[in-house]
Amino acid sequence: MIEIRDAVPADAPAISRIALEVQRLHAAALPSVFKPAGPDTFPPPVIEARMTTPGHRFWVAVEDGAVVGYVAATVQHEPESPWKHAATVCTLDQMGVAEHRRGCGAGAKLVDAVRTAAAAAGATEVRLNVWSFNEGARAFYARCGFVETQARLWLSTE
Ligand SMILES: CC(C)(COP(=O)(O)OP(=O)(O)OC[C@H]1O[C@@H](n2cnc3c(N)ncnc32)[C@H](O)[C@@H]1OP(=O)(O)O)[C@@H](O)C(=O)NCCC(=O)NCCS
């Protein structure tokens, strides 16, 4: 049974290990952008510091007492500008499920936790960025109900 709870500082090493797996995936696909996974990728002290930063939240998926996934999200209040209305914006910053436990429902439960917190904070949606190469994550997010609202385009200078 996979359960979701707020992360606590003692979860930081487990979160860090999963973040390394996510970094490996990104570095393999886009080595010109992402550094190889290593001790500086997302070390436990950095995770702990972020957990206690106002506006930042982490949740973990736990199975048989072990952390098998995590998600980090922020809620920020954006003031109005000449172009945009004021908004409470919830951003899903990063998430990962341990490789050996993917496809077991942990990811969907983590997204649910973020969605519930976003609604409670007054955000009308959860937003995120995903790299185009990451077809698995894109399919997962679509399955969770995310819809594409923006595209980022790069023009090579080479
Ligand atoms: C993307 C990720 C978080 C999904 O978590 P997960 O626990 O494996 O997903 P779930 O088991 O909760 O799947 C929920 C639904 O999404 C679908 N799904 C999940 N991964 C999928 C994939 N790679 N391709 C197609 N569909 C997928 C599942 O089939 C399931 O659909 P269902 O409800 O019809 O059964 C996880 O695979 C992961 O950590 N990937 C590597 C890191 C990564 O890409 N992170 C996101 C960076 S932006």
Side-chain angles (χ1 to χ4, degrees), residues 8 10 17 21 32-33 36 40 49 56 59 61-62 81 104 116 129 135 140 145 148 154:
V8 295
R17 281 193 292 276
E21 291 182 12
S32 61
V33 175
D40 294 335
H56 288 250
W59 291 262
V62 180
S81 76
C104 300
T116 301
N129 293 314
E135 290 177 5
F140 163 74
E148 198 171 314
W154 291 15

Side-chain angles (χ1 to χ4, degrees), residues 39-104:
D40 294 335
T41 297
F42 204 29
V46 171
I47 295 169
E48 280 191 47
R50 211 175 278 184
M51 270 181 201
T52 52
T53 303
H56 288 250
R57 281 190 71 178
F58 282 74
W59 291 262
V60 286
V62 180
E63 187 177 38
D64 297 331
V67 170
V68 296
Y70 81 99
V71 64
T74 58
V75 174
Q76 276 157 350
H77 300 284
E78 292 185 354
E80 72 168 329
S81 76
W83 308 279
K84 286 185 183 173
H85 298 295
T88 299
V89 175
C90 176
T91 306
L92 191 163
D93 269 337
Q94 43 176 282
M95 73 177 294
V97 171
E99 213 163 348
H100 68 289
R101 294 308 288 148
R102 289 181 194 158
C104 300

Side-chain angles (χ1 to χ4, degrees), residues 22 25-26 95-97 102-108 129-130 134 136-137 139-141 143:
V22 179
L25 181 95
H26 286 76
M95 73 177 294
V97 171
R102 289 181 194 158
C104 300
N129 293 314
V130 60
N134 199 345
F140 163 74
Y141 290 130
R143 185 74 187 90

